[in-house]
Every structure is written in C-alpha cells, then in structure tokens.
Amino acid sequence: MSGEPTAYAVLDIDLDALVGNWRSLRDRLPQGAICAGVVKADAYGLGMAKVAAALAAAGCRLFFVAQLGEAVALRHLLPDAEIAVLNGLLPGEAAAFAAHRLIPVLNDLGQIAAWRGTGGGLPAIIHVDTGMARLGLPPGELARLAADPSLLAGLSLRAVMSHLACADEPSHPHNARQLAAFGAARAELPAAPASLANSSGIFLGPAYHFDIARPGAAVYGVNPLPGRPNPMAQVVRLKGKILQTRDIDRGEFVGYGSTHRREGPGRIATVAVGYADGWLRSLSNRGSVAIAGQRVPLAGRISMDLMTIDVTALDPQAASPGNFAELIGPGHDIDAVAAEAGTIGYEILTALGSRYRRVYRGGAAPYLPSEKTES
Ligand SMILES: *Cc1c(COP(=O)(O)O)cnc(C)c1O
C-alpha cells in the first residue's frame, strides 16, 4: 500500500532491557565506581547511535570503542561524554584524538611518547598486558616506564587498565594470576583509577571491580556466566518471514550440496534470512527456529539470503507464507543460537546483518540522577 519494501526480517532491539542490564551491572560495583559502556563494533551490532544515547540518558558517562572512526562518530552524538579508544594511538592519529577530545588507550611506549608529544596534559589510559599477549604494555616496557618517570611527565593519567583472558571461566587459575600482575603493575605506576573487569569480570567478585568496569556483552544480553543461568535480560529478538512452503515426497533432497534428505514425506518452509544476514552458515542442519511457539529444525544448508526449515510437525496454517519464524527470542536466546552455531553470543550479535528492519523499543526515559550516578 505504502510502497515500502517488504520486511523480510525484523530485528527488535529493546533499549529498556539494555539500559536495565547496564544499571544492574553498575549496581554490582562499589559506590562511586564507574560503569562504562563498551559500544565498539556499532554497539556489538545493535546500533551505536541508539545504544549510546540510551546509555547516556541512563547516566553512563564513559564509553569505550575500538577504533578512532567509531570514537569520532560517537563524539558527534555525545559532545560531553568521555570516549576512550581501545585499539590505541596509531601513527598520525594524535591530532584527531586531541581535536575530538578522545582518550587514547596507550598500548606501548611509542604511543605514550607520541601522546606526550601533543603536549597540554591530555588524558590517557595506560593498558598493561597482564597475561593475554594481545594489546598493552608488555612486562619489559612496563619496567622501563617504572624506571623512568619522565616518560609519563605531562601526561594526565585517566586510568590504568588491563584485560582478562578467562573471565568467563571463574575457576580458571589465570584470573588470579592476572589480578596479581595487575596489582604489581599498578604499584609501579603513578596512582590512577584502575580498570580490569569486562562483563564476566564483574561477576568474579569485588576484588576485580576496581574503579572502572568495562562491560559490553552483558549489557546486550549475552550471558556473562556461560553454563549458568543468565542474569541479564534479553535485548534482541529476530524474526524472518516465510516466503514459500512445499510438500516433499520420500527421499527428496533439500538445499545446496544436497546435505539433507527427508526420509518420509514432509513439508519444507523457506525463510528470508541467510548467511549474508549474519545467520551463520555453521547453523546449517544444526540450528532451529520457532513458529507459533513450536521449535522446528533447520533442514539443509543455509544459503546467502535464505534458509530452509522442516515444518512437517506443524499445523500447515502456522507455517504458511507471510508468517514469521522466530530466530532469536525468549525461548531461544543469543547464547542458545551461538551454541547451535558452535560459537559465542558475541559473534552472533556482531554478525547481525544490515538488511534487517530494525525496531527499537524504549530507551527514551529521561536521565534521572540517582545516588549511584557516576561522577
Ligand atoms: C571488548 C572489550 C571489553 C568488553 O568486553 P565484554 O566481554 O564484551 O564485556 C572490555 N575491555 C576490552 C579491552 C575489550 O576489548
């Protein structure tokens, strides 16, 4: 009627649930600690503009992104927020960092020297590697920094941070090793607020909380406690439209590679979501969806724009063209989809495609200062 393109699939993002998750994480931290918001990778695929605005309205004042470009985009949305860039300060970027009042997370001595070179005592976060060998000062560089305080002269230390490699495995011995290494590193550096915990790190207990926590995934509803009940509210629902259904006879093959063959007669429905939409091909013959509240299996390989599901067990009315199949929903959350795909909820979220019709709910509540408001 309106000439609008068909909504082949709808991604529903509940900003109230997202803000509720952030608040519940913040409330686990000690009084006065800062709960930052990690909104890298377009807020884990859910849309940085909407997510950051909702978090800011709820009182979040410190944001982490991965890349300078993300930070510049966020600066335009949030003129007053503190914005830190995890990937560090790359050659040639210092002027842009300064111009947009961004906080670089300095990962090596070269970056520290480059940021000091901008002058003016601009704030920075120093990242020390405590056992991940990914980003951050390696032990040798930390020792050189400790031996020569002039390397930090004129630099405003916003925080000292590190990152946990095994926070989602509470009993993993590496957590305590990193905690100890972080304490030792802080003792070598000038006094500054400390930051160690990501989402799962917050659940390792008060020893891991320090002054600033950096949750991402749990804010978006991913379970920070794999294998245990998820304390977070679900933020995302995804449904895809059934385009066509067909009866198949004994022994017909379904999809590319003819990897699926129904033994008896049955019904196949084709849904308008494929791997180009982030519905990972590893879900082929393994994933499931819900139609009218009933779970049905994927049948055959996922293709670029489509997937096929076995709806033999359903009332034909329920699985008729134009109806929706629920791909992510209350009974089958991001972590359940990830388990079927052989990956983690983070990858399911960040893979969510750009073709979905996105519907945002809530998030418009005004900012109500509370006792636990961040300074
Ligand atoms: C992505 C990231 C986070 C957020 O981690 P989650 O597990 O999503 O909570 C925190 N710190 C660093 C350094 C990161 O790269």
Side-chain angles (χ1 to χ4, degrees):
M1 279 177 298
S2 61
E4 272 215 17
T6 300
Y8 292 105
V10 180
L11 180 66
D12 203 300
I13 297 163
D14 184 343
L15 293 171
D16 288 339
L18 185 149
V19 164
N21 284 338
W22 178 79
R23 286 203 174 104
S24 78
L25 295 165
R26 179 194 62 183
D27 290 347
R28 288 177 182 273
L29 303 176
Q31 191 79 34
I34 291 176
C35 190
V38 180
V39 294
K40 61 192 181 187
D42 200 27
Y44 290 47
L46 300 189
M48 183 177 72
K50 301 275 190 191
V51 167
L55 289 176
C60 184
R61 293 285 172 269
L62 171 60
F63 293 85
F64 284 86
V65 293
Q67 303 181 350
L68 173 58
E70 296 174 331
V72 172
L74 185 56
R75 172 56 75 220
H76 290 306
L77 298 165
L78 299 177
D80 301 323
E82 286 189 293
I83 302 172
V85 182
L86 292 164
N87 279 7
L89 182 71
L90 301 190
E93 288 184 344
F97 269 86
H100 295 284
R101 294 171 287 117
L102 306 174
I103 304 174
V105 174
L106 303 174
N107 289 318
D108 63 34
L109 290 177
Q111 293 183 7
I112 291 173
W115 193 238
R116 281 185 61 224
T118 59
L122 297 173
I125 294 174
I126 288 189
H127 183 178
V128 293
D129 177 24
T130 54
M132 196 166 172
R134 191 178 69 165
L135 287 177
L137 267 76
E141 294 199 14
L142 176 65
R144 279 167 62 195
L145 199 56
D148 184 357
S150 76
L151 295 176
L152 285 175
L155 189 147
S156 162
L157 204 49
R158 179 65 183 87
V160 173
M161 67 165 263
S162 192
H163 191 49
L164 296 165
C166 307
D168 57 345
E169 297 176 61
S171 59
H172 200 295
H174 205 56
N175 292 317
R177 276 198 293 268
Q178 286 197 268
L179 182 63
F182 188 54
R186 289 186 68 208
E188 304 250 33
L189 294 170
S195 178
L196 182 61
N198 67 334
S199 297
S200 295
I202 293 172
F203 291 84
L204 292 176
Y208 290 81
H209 287 166
F210 295 99
D211 306 296
I212 301 169
R214 309 185 307 270
V219 175
Y220 306 106
V222 173
N223 188 359
L225 305 169
R228 288 189 276 162
N230 188 354
M232 315 315 298
Q234 285 307 299
V235 171
V236 167
R237 299 175 75 139
L238 176 63
K239 59 182 185 177
K241 192 170 273 183
I242 298 172
L243 298 178
Q244 195 175 11
T245 57
R246 72 190 60 244
D247 294 320
I248 56 170
D249 295 328
R250 184 175 298 275
E252 276 188 59
F253 294 101
V254 181
Y256 281 124
S258 301
T259 59
H260 182 84
R261 183 180 204 176
R262 254 205 75 86
E263 288 312 322
R267 270 174 85 72
I268 296 292
T270 303
V271 175
V273 173
Y275 60 74
D277 302 298
W279 204 244
L280 304 182
R281 194 165 172 277
S282 56
L283 288 163
S284 297
N285 287 313
R286 294 172 61 180
S288 63
V289 302
I291 295 175
Q294 230 180 302
R295 294 221 71 74
V296 294
L298 267 67
R301 285 196 186 144
I302 291 170
S303 46
M304 187 182 293
D305 316 292
L306 304 167
M307 65 171 146
T308 35
I309 57 181
D310 188 328
V311 295
T312 309
L314 297 186
D315 173 355
Q317 280 305 113
S320 51
N323 287 3
F324 280 100
E326 188 175 77
L327 281 62
I328 302 172
H332 200 64
D333 62 17
I334 297 161
D335 293 286
V337 175
E340 287 177 342
T343 184
I344 54 175
Y346 295 68
E347 192 180 26
I348 298 296
L349 273 185
T350 54
L352 289 172
S354 57
R355 296 195 293 190
Y356 298 132
R357 178 165 298 173
R358 288 172 177 238
V359 177
Y360 289 90
R361 297 183 193 283
Y367 167 42
L368 297 171
S370 74
E371 323 81 75
K372 286 212 137 189
T373 297
E374 273 64 40
S375 54

